Amino acid sequence: MAHQPLDDLELETLENFLESDQVHEECQNFVMAHGFLTALAICPTPTTEDQWLPVIFEETPQFENAKQEKQITQYLTRLFVDIQKELESEDGFMVPCELEMGQSPEELSELQEWATGFMEGVFMTESQWFESEKEEVVAELLLPIMVASDLFDDEEVVQIRQSEKLTDSCIAQIPEVVTDLFLVLRTEPEKRPFPKAQPKQGNKNKKKGGKR
């Protein structure tokens, strides 16, 4: 049977469930789960549903019945396949949210949530991302997603975040970076892109920017 992409109603049903009282308070919301599954779709070693589903849910949700459990599980599995097919296409990758940071440290934007989910997927399969021959390229490509996420406070990331201009330059690259990471990790060497030049931190007069 041919794969059926999730339609708008199914996406809304999944999004509402992941925000409901039926799930653990640490359950990933839709954009976090999308970022998480995107990273797993890029990873060259397959990850099974039994491995990634508990990470999304944190704890088993309080499903109304077996029918709802099957429905939500199928929607997440289909979302994973949707993401894989999008990465494999030549149409470019679309992040499912605006490419913008939160306005205050207290509130994450959807992009920050997506990037946080993505990096959690990287951490889950870390050894597959940083093989010796690819480590430097992958680390450089990951920088914009690290900047957007809420997980890093190392010097390079903090310096970029302190400049709104550098931050905007970084996060604007994320859709292209996702495609490049897929090419680096999942295709033959002759098809791999050259790493993109990242913003330089030469300007010492930077505004302090917030993160959530």
Side-chain angles (χ1 to χ4, degrees), residues 85-96:
K85 289 188 175 298
E86 185 175 2
L87 288 166
E88 291 166 0
S89 76
E90 297 181 357
D91 297 333
F93 184 82
M94 295 288 291
V95 178

Side-chain angles (χ1 to χ4, degrees), residues 26-40:
E26 296 298 325
C27 175
Q28 295 179 1
N29 63 24
F30 177 81
V31 289
M32 287 186 71
H34 189 287
F36 176 69
L37 292 175
T38 300
L40 297 186

Side-chain angles (χ1 to χ4, degrees), residues 44-80:
T45 301
T47 307
T48 65
E49 180 184 296
D50 289 343
Q51 292 173 299
W52 56 255
L53 202 57
V55 179
I56 290 178
F57 287 145
E58 186 68 27
E59 290 184 4
T60 303
Q62 297 176 348
F63 293 108
E64 293 174 357
N65 47 47
K67 181 179 178 181
Q68 186 187 47
E69 180 176 5
K70 181 178 179 181
Q71 178 193 54
I72 295 300
T73 302
Q74 287 182 341
Y75 284 179
L76 283 166
T77 301
R78 286 168 60 194
L79 177 64
F80 194 16

Side-chain angles (χ1 to χ4, degrees), residues 170-189:
C170 253
I171 65 177
Q173 299 176 43
I174 288 177
E176 186 176 1
V177 159
V178 170
T179 299
D180 287 349
L181 283 166
F182 180 79
L183 292 173
V184 167
L185 290 169
R186 297 290 297 274
T187 62
E188 295 303 316

